[in-house]
Amino acid sequence: MRNHFICRFISSVSLKIRACTPGCGYLSLFLIFLKIGAFTLGGGYAMFPLIQREIVDKRQWIDRREFLDLLAIAQSAPGIIAVNIAIFVGYKLKGVKGSLVTTLGTVLPSFVAILLIALFFQEFKDNTYIQRIFMGIRPVTVALIAAPVLQMGRAACEKKILWLIPLVVAAAIWLGGVSPVGIVLAAGLSGWVGGRIKERRK
């Protein structure tokens, strides 16, 4: 039921976007996501500002509000968040083939890098210089994750009072031991109820 709703949502906006995205070819999508996948450190969250800059700000293939909606779906769906957002953006722009192209571009650099590391890691893991490199990378990855989270918060929380929601949710997870799954379901239900109420008032 949930997957059917997600597919219907993505399909409905995808049809509108395809008619107004000149220059959005499969090769362009592949190269954009290949570059994003190759130069992103810190996991999927660090990809968000790069995808936003390339797809939303620079080329304007998707507007900011729609991009936030896609992020919300990518975070709620099971699986790797970087792959999820690549699939949804690709599907929104070019359908199923677009999702395959963006996914391939996203995972290919990581696949090659991990393969090379797996082949040669045993030879270099005790090297002093390699250990120092990893020590320098660790704190940087924290900043790379924190920066897009703050950017997403600024875009999603247009009113100051809305900042209470992520703060309360974070406290509930860290201090109260509340399951993130329950929070996602509750947020989706509250959003659906709020939308129904607004429709009835109109």
Side-chain angles (χ1 to χ4, degrees):
M1 182 69 177
R2 185 184 67 174
N3 291 337
H4 177 67
F5 169 76
I6 291 174
C7 290
R8 286 188 61 187
F9 173 79
I10 298 296
S11 298
S12 64
V13 288
S14 178
L15 291 175
K16 293 188 298 182
I17 293 297
R18 288 180 200 173
C20 57
T21 50
C24 179
Y26 294 113
L27 181 60
S28 298
L29 280 176
F30 175 76
L31 293 177
I32 289 171
F33 278 85
L34 182 71
K35 179 177 67 174
I36 292 172
F39 294 99
T40 300
L41 297 175
Y45 286 98
M47 285 186 174
F48 291 166
L50 298 179
I51 297 175
Q52 178 178 323
R53 184 172 62 201
E54 292 288 341
I55 303 298
V56 180
D57 299 333
K58 186 176 180 180
R59 292 172 175 82
Q60 298 180 354
W61 290 342
I62 301 175
D63 64 44
R64 190 177 296 270
R65 176 55 59 183
E66 289 171 328
F67 182 67
L68 288 175
D69 291 339
L70 292 177
L71 288 184
I73 298 174
Q75 290 173 312
S76 303
I80 305 171
I81 192 168
V83 175
N84 288 348
I85 188 62
I87 290 173
F88 288 137
V89 170
Y91 188 87
K92 178 176 173 60
L93 293 173
K94 300 293 288 186
V96 175
K97 292 181 180 179
S99 67
L100 294 175
V101 168
T102 53
T103 302
L104 179 62
T106 301
V107 302
L108 186 60
S110 299
F111 174 79
V112 174
I114 294 300
L115 181 62
L116 293 176
I117 291 174
L119 291 174
F120 300 105
F121 183 71
Q122 293 297 327
E123 300 179 15
F124 297 102
K125 68 176 183 178
D126 296 325
N127 186 288
T128 303
Y129 296 103
I130 298 297
Q131 292 178 354
R132 290 177 180 176
I133 290 173
F134 281 119
M135 289 179 62
I137 291 176
R138 288 170 189 166
V140 173
T141 56
V142 176
L144 289 174
I145 295 173
V149 169
L150 292 175
Q151 290 180 358
M152 289 169 54
R154 290 175 181 174
C157 302
E158 297 175 349
K159 299 180 181 179
K160 292 183 179 180
I161 193 172
L162 293 179
W163 281 99
L164 291 175
I165 296 176
L167 293 177
V168 170
V169 169
I173 294 174
W174 294 338
L175 303 179
V178 179
S179 172
V181 176
I183 290 177
V184 170
L185 293 176
L189 179 61
S190 63
W192 179 81
V193 172
R196 296 287 292 181
I197 293 173
K198 286 185 178 180
E199 288 179 359
R200 291 182 179 180
R201 289 179 178 177
K202 292 180 180 179

